[in-house]
Amino acid sequence: MAFLKTILIILLVYYLLKFLVKLFAPKILSYAAKKTESHFKQAFDNQRASDEENIGDVIINKKTSKKKNDSEKVGEYIDFEELD
């Protein structure tokens, strides 16, 4: 009888959790979506404000190229000759 009672309690807890998840999942997901939306909106506004401050400024980014050393070369060149 104790085994049957344990199985019944497990099933009851399972269906109760399943019901609660169906009840609260949409609210939790909408809250998370609103928080994410506000985070992205704030980041976009910050980027836009910093771009507006720099209107008319000329920025030159120079990329420095470093020469490859012999140790950075990959493989070697092999000259093949055609045999008759």
Side-chain angles (χ1 to χ4, degrees):
M1 192 68 172
F3 178 72
L4 188 60
K5 191 175 184 180
T6 305
I7 296 296
L8 185 61
I9 290 173
I10 291 171
L11 286 175
L12 183 66
V13 168
Y14 171 74
Y15 283 111
L16 182 64
L17 286 175
K18 191 174 172 181
F19 174 74
L20 290 175
V21 166
K22 283 185 181 181
L23 186 65
F24 290 114
K27 293 178 183 178
I28 293 171
L29 289 176
S30 67
Y31 173 75
K34 286 179 185 177
K35 284 294 263 190
T36 305
E37 179 185 359
S38 67
H39 174 73
F40 280 115
K41 184 177 180 183
Q42 183 182 10
F44 177 74
D45 289 341
N46 288 344
Q47 179 66 32
R48 199 159 113 206
S50 67
D51 287 345
E52 289 175 356
E53 292 174 0
N54 297 332
I55 292 177
D57 292 345
V58 177
I59 300 172
I60 299 174
N61 293 327
K62 294 184 179 180
K63 293 183 180 179
T64 59
S65 62
K66 63 177 185 176
K67 295 182 180 181
K68 291 185 176 181
N69 295 336
D70 289 336
S71 63
E72 292 179 4
K73 291 182 182 178
V74 178
E76 61 183 51
Y77 178 75
I78 300 174
D79 188 21
F80 290 100
E81 293 183 11
E82 188 173 322
L83 299 176
D84 290 326

